[in-house]
Amino acid sequence: MDENDRKQLEETTRWQPGETEARIFAEWLEGGYFHPEATGTADENYSVAIPPPNVTGVLHMGHALNGSMQDALVRMNRMSGRNTLWILGMDHAGIATQTVVEKRLKSEGISRHEIGREAFTERVWEWKEEFGGSIREQYQRLGASVDYERERFTLDDGYAQAVRKVFTSLYEKGYIYRDHYMVNWDPGSQSAISDLEVVNEEVADHLYSIDYPVEGSDRVLTVATVRPETMMADTAVAVNPKDERYGDLVGQHCILPLVGRRLPIIADDHVDIEFGTGALKITPGHDVNDFEIGRRHGLEEISVIGEDGRMTAMSGERFEGMTVAEAQVEVVKALKEEGALSGEEEYVHSVPFSERSGERIEPLISLQWFCQMDELAKPAIEAVEDGRVSIAPGQWKRVYLDWMREIRPWCVSRQLWWGHRIPVWYRGEETWVGETAPEGEGWIQEEDVLDTWFSSAIWPFATLGWPEQTEELKAFYPTDFLTTAREILFLWVARMIMTGLEFAGDVPFRDVYVHSVIQARDGRRMSKSLGTGIDPLGEIEEHGADALRFGLLAMSSTQDVRYSDAKVQQGRDLATKLWNASRLILLNTEAPQDRTVPAEPIALEDRWILSRLESTVATYTRLIGEYDFAHAVQELYSFVFSDLCDWYLEIAKPRIYDGDPEIAQVLLHTLERTLALAHPVMPFVTEAIWEYHPYREGHLVIHPFPEADDFRISEAVETEVGEAIATTRQLRGWRDMAGVPPKVVLDVTGDATSVPEFVARLGRVEIGANEGEAVATVAGFGIQASDELDMEAIRSRIDARRGKLEGELKKIEGKLANERFVQNAPAEVVAEEREKAERLQAEMAELG
């Protein structure tokens, strides 16, 4: 370190992320560390394809958590010497982007229909150019080491070519077809939408009981429904074949009220005997389950609700043109007039709404393009079953397999203008499907675009240049890791596995980690509209990127967790602690000529910190490899805060200030490995400290990642020093309890050779052999009375403490004496209570 660096480090007494992060990130970019050459093989290299955020979006906590996990792995593997690529890109997000631009047009007093498809698409591209860079900039603020030079977009030319090839190939195999089928229809956006874009809300409704007369008898079948307005589309009434109440009616007919149509009475296992009367009106045109029942029984499919959300002519002259809500009121009125309404009660149930438009979803039968998934699903099931793709935590593997075994056709068409226009052309009765437009005149291209998830499904290989056999594809496919939210396990992850096997010839990734959801502070979901969203950029501004990254990883688990300001503060504290400890080391040590740390350092504390360092490296590396990020960062925190700073540096300070050359070797070695270990989680502060380290050769971002040195791990040394630390803690604890002033050195009796030197120094005691009456016995040492001590006050404090301990012990002993508690409580809870009792008894014994 030259004089300028020393002066700068002396003056920079606090870690100031806001002044440093941008400069360091610019250096990383300039160094080209995130842009690997496409050499080697996928087995040798390491790659991750970032889940592409919507181009409409801004960085939210889900992105920040996801990105922190990926970056920790990417940086760790890059530092381990593997050729590492983290693929960056954005999704065109069909319906989300179109909605945003349509709102902008509306604010200008125009609509997309007024300006036409071509002009509208141009406006969306303009919007993308204007706002599309924000996600990129936000990832940089987080410190994400993605390859910014290989950024992809799901609508760029090369990617669009890959999408057309996939569609055409699936069509030629007979998997893609056009048919009338049930879809989630959003009257607001006038399009079919995916399940992910549907939100279910609890709605207070009414459950109506309607009597359907049985033909040729005085009996009626009473059905219960919350949607009487759809009854004009009924084509059957179903009962459960095991329901003895209706066994004699199966095969007969009943009459549809208001309409007079004969409806067959059918038996189907789907009918819930316990719900309502056990008789179910079957409306194949407006209910997903009824649609499936109708197909099983060959029922007619009638639609009485149109794509605009209004009643069609098929509903009858009285109801035609009404909104669904208006029709419900009028139908109930008509049923009462006819005497067919036999009951009405309040009923709360879950109702689907469009996340984009806010309109209630109408299940409609629509002419759409579909992909048959059965054949594609088979190898994707095998890949997870045989372990080629690992899904963790384990319950999500089961969920994945259950869903895949019951997979249904996928509606791949959307009634939008923004997206991949389906590569199908029509001319009269002719249809052309191909990667390019057909030759000749009169051809008209399909108006619909593909579901956004269709193009996202090929993300891991299309981003690497497929269908061309590029060097990137050879070097980085399959990728190694994917972390994702559980709600897109089927919509995206499963489809990537299917397309990867079908088109790229291998699974798209080896490991899938389904991360937890970070909730708002009050336990609700984070939402801008609810006012519960937490802006990660705001947290970065306040605490720094390292603090947020650490905090999010510390929050992560297999369970959903509330956002914890305390965890982020813990990350900020760790960054500050690292900075302060590093200043102490770097400003008080000279780089030794020989950097090599002796195989067997003389000082016990040196052997201890080196052992603890290597134990931490081993545990931390294992936990990261298991994707147990929360425990990994806590292991790092514990080592830096407790082992290194609270104990080793305090123990070693006299030697540091005396200029001991051996401790300089140990300190600089320990600091180097600690910075490298922490870098994947906290890249900015570690890189900033590394700039002052005398061993620095290049940036820390490409410094070798530590591998545990088993030779330096000594269980015996860790036990010996651990016991000495425990003794020191006990002595300090007694001093605090007794109110002994910090400057007072206590006289204690005991064997000074039984503990290391630092116990007396840090415990502020002088160990002697003088026999005298002990005020108390702490960790085997007798505390002697002294003129400097207010013995009356100390005895009063001791008595108060003893009384408190006796009360706590009495409660615990009462629990343990209760046979019901011991027999019924979990074994670990009982064991914990017994351990508490033992600790209390030991402390009471020390009080005398």
Side-chain angles (χ1 to χ4, degrees):
M1 185 182 342
D2 61 28
E3 285 304 314
N4 287 334
D5 285 344
R6 172 174 286 276
K7 183 178 179 183
Q8 186 178 47
L9 186 57
E10 286 174 342
E11 293 175 350
T12 312
T13 57
R14 294 173 57 250
W15 166 237
Q16 298 169 326
E19 299 176 11
T20 312
E21 291 175 349
R23 174 184 61 78
I24 287 176
F25 199 88
E27 290 180 11
W28 290 334
L29 289 180
E30 186 178 349
Y33 304 129
F34 308 157
H35 183 63
E37 295 292 326
T39 58
T41 66
D43 288 338
E44 301 164 342
N45 300 334
Y46 188 84
S47 61
V48 174
I50 200 168
N54 290 353
V55 70
T56 59
V58 294
L59 194 69
H60 58 63
M61 279 300 172
H63 293 129
L65 171 63
N66 198 304
S68 298
M69 289 179 172
Q70 292 171 84
D71 202 28
L73 292 164
V74 165
R75 286 178 180 270
M76 184 172 166
N77 278 278
R78 185 185 293 118
M79 294 171 73
S80 297
R82 298 180 73 180
N83 196 26
T84 301
L85 172 65
W86 188 8
I87 303 164
L88 172 65
M90 287 175 282
D91 194 292
H92 65 278
I95 192 167
T97 306
Q98 178 160 319
T99 300
V100 169
V101 177
E102 284 200 75
K103 286 180 180 177
R104 174 178 278 199
L105 290 177
K106 187 176 181 180
S107 70
E108 298 172 12
I110 55 177
S111 71
R112 67 181 169 104
H113 298 287
E114 289 174 304
I115 64 174
R117 182 170 195 147
E118 185 175 342
F120 176 77
T121 303
E122 288 177 4
R123 289 291 297 266
V124 182
W125 276 106
E126 289 171 7
W127 185 91
K128 186 261 181 188
E129 293 305 313
E130 184 178 353
F131 295 101
S134 61
I135 283 285
R136 183 188 315 112
E137 295 163 8
Q138 290 158 19
Y139 269 121
Q140 291 182 359
R141 291 292 307 278
L142 185 67
S145 62
V146 296
D147 189 343
Y148 294 93
E149 298 178 51
R150 282 192 176 99
E151 183 180 326
R152 297 302 302 270
F153 180 51
T154 53
L155 272 179
D156 65 36
D157 291 341
Y159 204 101
Q161 178 192 352
V163 171
R164 291 192 296 270
K165 186 172 184 65
V166 168
F167 183 94
T168 303
S169 175
L170 293 173
Y171 178 83
E172 290 171 351
K173 284 196 167 188
Y175 296 165
I176 282 184
Y177 60 95
R178 201 179 189 205
D179 192 12
H180 289 88
Y181 207 82
M182 181 67 68
V183 298
N184 297 316
W185 186 263
D186 175 11
S189 67
Q190 293 282 290
S191 176
I193 62 174
S194 70
D195 290 339
L196 185 65
E197 293 154 335
V198 174
V199 291
N200 290 292
E201 299 178 10
E202 292 292 306
V203 171
D205 239 325
H206 286 86
L207 186 67
Y208 299 96
S209 297
I210 307 171
D211 294 337
Y212 287 52
V214 176
E215 187 179 54
S217 78
D218 295 331
R219 295 175 65 182
V220 296
L221 269 177
T222 302
V223 302
T225 180
V226 293
R227 302 209 66 190
E229 67 276 12
T230 66
M231 65 179 291
M232 285 78 73
D234 289 358
T235 54
V237 172
V239 297
N240 192 293
K242 298 180 180 136
D243 194 336
E244 297 178 355
R245 294 172 295 174
Y246 306 119
D248 61 321
L249 294 180
V250 175
Q252 298 188 44
H253 289 79
C254 59
I255 306 301
L256 177 61
L258 305 185
V259 178
R261 186 164 58 243
R262 295 174 75 239
L263 305 180
I265 302 171
I266 61 175
D268 195 279
D269 289 326
H270 172 78
V271 180
D272 182 357
I273 296 175
E274 303 299 324
F275 179 77
T277 63
L280 182 68
K281 68 191 265 318
I282 304 301
T283 319
H286 297 291
D287 183 273
V288 174
N289 294 317
D290 291 3
F291 175 80
E292 296 294 343
I293 293 172
R295 288 277 165 116
R296 285 198 293 272
H297 293 271
L299 300 176
E300 184 181 1
E301 295 166 354
I302 300 172
S303 293
V304 295
I305 300 172
E307 293 180 351
D308 59 358
R310 291 183 175 271
M311 305 302 288
T312 68
M314 289 296 295
S315 66
E317 185 177 347
R318 180 171 179 175
F319 312 112
E320 183 181 359
M322 290 182 177
T323 66
V324 170
E326 292 167 345
Q328 183 177 105
V329 173
E330 196 63 23
V331 168
V332 170
K333 181 180 177 182
L335 287 169
K336 289 178 178 177
E337 293 170 359
E338 193 171 294
L341 189 69
S342 58
E344 179 181 345
E345 61 183 274
E346 292 184 355
Y347 182 67
V348 177
H349 65 130
S350 182
V351 174
F353 290 85
S354 167
E355 185 180 45
R356 302 298 176 187
S357 72
E359 297 277 342
R360 181 169 176 160
I361 292 298
E362 285 295 343
L364 295 183
I365 296 173
S366 177
L367 180 59
Q368 303 281 351
W369 286 93
F370 294 88
C371 184
Q372 189 65 40
M373 306 302 292
D374 305 63
E375 293 303 314
L376 292 169
K378 289 177 183 176
I381 290 171
E382 292 173 3
V384 171
E385 287 180 330
D386 64 25
R388 280 176 290 154
V389 174
S390 170
I391 300 177
Q395 72 262 30
W396 295 111
K397 173 182 176 180
R398 296 189 294 273
V399 171
Y400 167 92
L401 290 172
D402 289 345
W403 185 81
M404 291 289 278
R405 288 168 182 145
E406 300 294 329
I407 198 164
R408 297 169 61 182
W410 172 17
C411 176
V412 298
S413 51
R414 295 290 182 269
Q415 291 64 56
L416 303 171
W417 286 356
W418 174 246
H420 292 275
R421 200 163 173 181
I422 293 176
V424 176
W425 287 260
Y426 308 103
R427 184 170 66 180
E429 297 298 316
E430 296 178 86
T431 299
W432 170 272
V433 178
E435 296 177 48
T436 58
E439 296 180 357
E441 297 180 355
W443 290 99
I444 299 174
Q445 188 174 358
E446 169 67 64
E447 292 285 325
D448 291 354
V449 300
L450 288 165
D451 178 11
T452 297
W453 297 104
F454 190 92
S455 51
S456 298
I458 63 174
W459 181 251
F461 55 92
T463 50
L464 296 171
W466 186 93
E468 302 299 324
Q469 293 303 303
T470 64
E471 294 303 314
E472 282 81 4
L473 197 62
K474 296 174 188 174
F476 299 113
Y477 187 88
T479 64
D480 290 87
F481 174 76
L482 175 78
T483 179
T484 186
R486 58 177 175 259
E487 63 264 22
I488 56 175
L489 184 62
F490 314 130
L491 289 165
W492 188 45
V493 178
R495 289 165 180 169
M496 283 192 287
I497 297 173
M498 288 186 271
T499 59
L501 290 164
E502 177 71 17
F503 295 102
D506 202 347
V507 295
F509 27 69
R510 307 298 187 197
D511 292 343
V512 176
Y513 180 75
V514 181
H515 62 69
S516 57
V517 174
I518 304 293
Q519 301 167 332
R521 294 179 177 94
D522 61 3
R524 290 183 293 169
R525 69 182 179 90
M526 285 198 190
S527 166
K528 187 175 180 180
S529 61
L530 292 175
T532 56
I534 301 169
D535 179 13
L537 294 184
E539 296 293 275
I540 290 172
E541 287 287 344
E542 183 176 355
H543 302 287
D546 291 334
L548 179 63
R549 291 165 63 114
F550 178 95
L552 289 172
L553 293 177
M555 289 176 224
S556 70
S557 69
T558 58
Q559 303 294 324
D560 293 351
V561 292
R562 296 184 180 192
Y563 186 81
S564 170
D565 293 295
K567 295 291 186 186
V568 178
Q569 184 60 48
Q570 193 178 43
R572 180 64 187 263
D573 293 344
L574 179 58
T576 300
K577 198 79 165 179
L578 261 177
W579 181 262
N580 293 339
S582 299
R583 286 183 74 252
L584 171 67
I585 294 169
L586 295 170
L587 292 174
N588 292 283
T589 54
E590 295 293 333
Q593 290 185 345
D594 182 5
R595 299 180 180 181
T596 307
V597 176
E600 286 288 343
I602 297 171
L604 173 66
E605 62 265 26
D606 291 351
R607 285 180 280 135
W608 173 75
I609 195 61
L610 292 171
S611 180
R612 287 297 308 126
L613 172 62
E614 299 308 322
S615 295
T616 301
V617 169
T619 303
Y620 174 90
T621 304
R622 174 181 59 80
L623 291 169
I624 290 286
E626 295 170 355
Y627 311 131
D628 187 352
F629 298 98
H631 287 101
V633 298
Q634 290 301 333
E635 185 78 10
L636 175 67
Y637 181 91
S638 177
F639 172 76
V640 172
F641 248 83
S642 181
D643 298 339
L644 179 60
C645 297
D646 288 352
W647 292 106
Y648 180 68
L649 291 181
E650 291 302 313
I651 293 168
K653 271 182 181 177
R655 294 170 61 209
I656 295 174
Y657 294 139
D658 288 344
D660 182 338
E662 184 171 291
I663 201 170
Q665 292 173 322
V666 173
L667 284 169
L668 292 172
H669 169 85
T670 300
L671 179 59
E672 178 182 14
R673 288 175 73 77
T674 301
L675 293 175
L677 187 69
H679 180 80
V681 172
M682 309 183 78
F684 288 110
V685 68
T686 52
E687 188 74 78
I689 295 168
W690 181 242
E691 292 175 339
Y692 298 101
H693 200 293
Y695 297 171
R696 183 179 189 266
E697 295 176 3
H699 285 86
L700 188 64
V701 69
I702 52 170
H703 184 285
F705 190 78
E707 291 185 19
D709 183 352
D710 293 338
F711 175 78
R712 292 201 182 276
I713 299 176
S714 170
E715 186 177 337
V717 168
E718 291 194 28
T719 298
E720 182 179 356
V721 175
E723 290 174 350
I725 287 172
T727 297
T728 307
R729 281 196 174 112
Q730 287 176 280
L731 289 168
R732 286 174 166 178
W734 190 90
R735 293 176 65 100
D736 291 342
M737 184 275 299
V740 179
K743 66 178 181 179
V744 173
V745 177
L746 294 173
D747 289 325
V748 302
T749 58
D751 182 2
T753 64
S754 67
V755 292
E757 165 276 332
F758 68 80
V759 172
R761 175 162 49 88
L762 298 182
R764 302 284 292 156
V765 299
E766 185 173 337
I767 304 173
N770 297 332
E771 294 290 337
E773 183 182 354
V775 177
T777 301
V778 179
F781 293 100
I783 308 294
Q784 300 296 298
S786 165
D787 293 341
E788 294 179 286
L789 300 180
D790 183 343
M791 297 309 301
E792 185 175 340
I794 288 174
R795 287 192 179 94
S796 176
R797 284 172 176 262
I798 290 174
D799 289 343
R801 179 62 180 166
R802 184 184 294 109
K804 183 177 180 182
L805 295 176
E806 286 173 347
E808 292 179 8
L809 182 61
K810 187 176 181 180
K811 286 182 183 177
I812 293 173
E813 288 176 337
K815 275 187 183 180
L816 295 174
N818 185 333
E819 289 185 12
R820 183 177 296 176
F821 169 77
V822 174
Q823 291 175 359
N824 298 332
E828 59 270 21
V829 172
V830 175
E832 187 178 336
E833 292 297 312
R834 285 180 174 144
E835 287 173 9
K836 283 182 188 176
E838 290 173 5
R839 288 198 300 270
L840 293 171
Q841 288 166 344
E843 187 177 348
M844 287 175 62
E846 288 188 342
L847 291 176

